[in-house]
Amino acid sequence: YPTDERSGLCKVAPCSSISSARQSFVGAISQDVGAMLVLELLGGPQPVAALACTCRELLQQLRDPRTGQLRVSTASLRASSPALLAFAQRLCLGQLRSLRLDVFKESGHLPERLVNQLLSSLGDALAAAKRGMISLPLEDLSIRLAFFSDNIQPLRPSSNAHAALLRGLAQLRLRRLELSFLPLSRKVIEQEVTETKQTFLSVLRGLDRLQELLLTHNGMHGEVALQLVEALRHLPHLQSFDVSRNRIAYQDFNDMARILGGSVKLTGLDSQTYLV
């Protein structure tokens, strides 16, 4: 504090000066806090969604007045509780362009039944939404499941969950698709959906706008990978195919690259469980 040179006592400023100084100080703090909030909420990905989560009024503005669904173009869901299902069901699929579902961090804690319910709900919602419009705008779909269920067993979605997911994927015109930690065996990729007679292979063949495909941590052997490549080889816009963290032998990987040709970048050779 400033002091009087003669008396050595602290100077006391007039009330008006104190009030002015206090307002300036508070204003400076408000500016700093405001700057931090702007950086935190607007400086990262999905700024509108970040703001909506902190502002009830903005969240209400994002809701469709007729259905109550959230009208956002991007959604990234990383929770695992039943609240995740409730939130996902509120998304307006008629405007959603990017959806990323990641429950990997819940490995060892996630009940398998919840994963089955989640995949089934997603697939059924996509199929139902497609009936009411010419095409869904969703272009980027990423699903990363948990490695283990809550009983420390490898997570293996049921055949019904697989079928529902395939029904949903068949309705989309994706440019990017990621399916990680979803087991892919020969039985899984060849199994037909009862209602549509579609298989995982036939659904992939139908994604004629696909540019980027990531199938990682799927426990996939070379035999299965080669079947997938045969289904993908005629996709006109495919640019990259990532098969990291699988079980594809060196020779099978080379055969995959040869079938795909130079127009598709095949990655993941160095991260296979074994190379023969």
Side-chain angles (χ1 to χ4, degrees):
Y1 291 98
T3 59
D4 186 286
E5 294 179 356
R6 290 171 297 179
S7 65
L9 299 176
C10 294
K11 291 181 178 179
V12 178
C15 291
S16 59
S17 300
I18 294 176
S19 176
S20 176
R22 180 182 299 166
Q23 290 176 358
S24 299
F25 180 64
V26 172
I29 292 178
S30 299
Q31 289 178 359
D32 290 341
V33 172
M36 287 190 297
L37 285 175
V38 168
L39 288 174
E40 181 69 22
L41 297 176
L42 301 182
Q46 306 175 31
V48 174
L51 280 172
C53 290
T54 62
C55 178
R56 182 178 302 175
E57 289 74 16
L58 182 55
L59 190 62
Q60 287 298 115
Q61 291 295 320
L62 290 175
R63 293 185 187 277
D64 186 302
R66 295 177 294 105
T67 64
Q69 294 178 319
L70 295 178
R71 299 174 296 183
V72 294
S73 62
T74 300
S76 181
L77 310 176
R78 294 178 179 272
S80 63
S81 66
L84 171 63
L85 292 173
F87 183 78
Q89 291 169 354
R90 294 179 183 176
L91 295 173
C92 181
L93 296 176
Q95 298 189 27
L96 193 64
R97 295 185 178 277
S98 176
L99 176 58
R100 303 199 172 188
L101 171 63
D102 188 345
V103 294
F104 173 71
K105 290 185 178 180
E106 298 300 321
S107 292
H109 306 284
L110 196 62
E112 195 169 275
R113 58 174 177 77
L114 182 58
V115 174
N116 290 332
Q117 185 180 357
L118 186 60
L119 294 179
S120 297
S121 298
L122 175 61
D124 292 341
L126 291 172
K130 178 62 171 63
R131 299 188 194 108
M133 56 188 69
I134 298 175
S135 63
L136 292 174
L138 189 62
E139 297 180 338
D140 181 353
L141 176 61
S142 176
I143 299 177
R144 298 184 79 242
L145 300 180
F147 190 53
F148 293 103
S149 63
D150 58 346
N151 60 3
I152 317 299
Q153 295 295 320
L155 188 64
R156 300 188 182 280
S158 67
S159 57
N160 289 335
H162 271 286
L165 181 61
L166 288 184
R167 286 194 299 269
L169 289 176
Q171 311 304 320
L172 303 175
R173 308 198 70 181
L174 296 172
R175 297 181 185 275
R176 181 185 182 277
L177 173 62
E178 176 184 1
L179 298 174
S180 293
F181 297 96
L182 180 71
L184 292 177
S185 63
R186 183 173 181 178
K187 178 182 178 181
V188 168
I189 66 173
E190 293 180 347
Q191 186 174 10
E192 290 186 344
V193 177
T194 305
E195 300 88 343
T196 63
K197 303 300 181 183
Q198 292 173 313
T199 66
F200 188 81
L201 294 172
S202 66
V203 169
L204 285 184
R205 291 191 194 100
L207 298 177
D208 55 4
R209 290 190 178 183
L210 195 64
Q211 298 177 2
E212 183 180 357
L213 178 61
L214 297 88
L215 299 178
T216 67
H217 302 84
N218 307 113
M220 182 167 49
H221 291 273
E223 178 187 24
V224 173
L226 287 168
Q227 286 183 272
L228 294 176
V229 164
E230 288 292 344
L232 297 170
R233 63 186 302 182
H234 297 301
L235 294 184
H237 302 293
L238 188 63
Q239 299 174 4
S240 65
F241 183 22
D242 186 357
V243 291
S244 299
R245 301 294 179 181
N246 281 291
R247 301 177 181 177
I248 304 171
Y250 182 84
Q251 184 57 52
D252 291 329
F253 192 94
N254 285 338
D255 290 341
M256 292 168 62
R258 176 181 53 78
I259 294 172
L260 288 174
S263 60
V264 179
K265 182 180 180 181
L266 182 65
T267 58
L269 174 62
D270 296 336
S271 65
Q272 300 305 308
T273 302
Y274 64 86
L275 301 175
V276 179

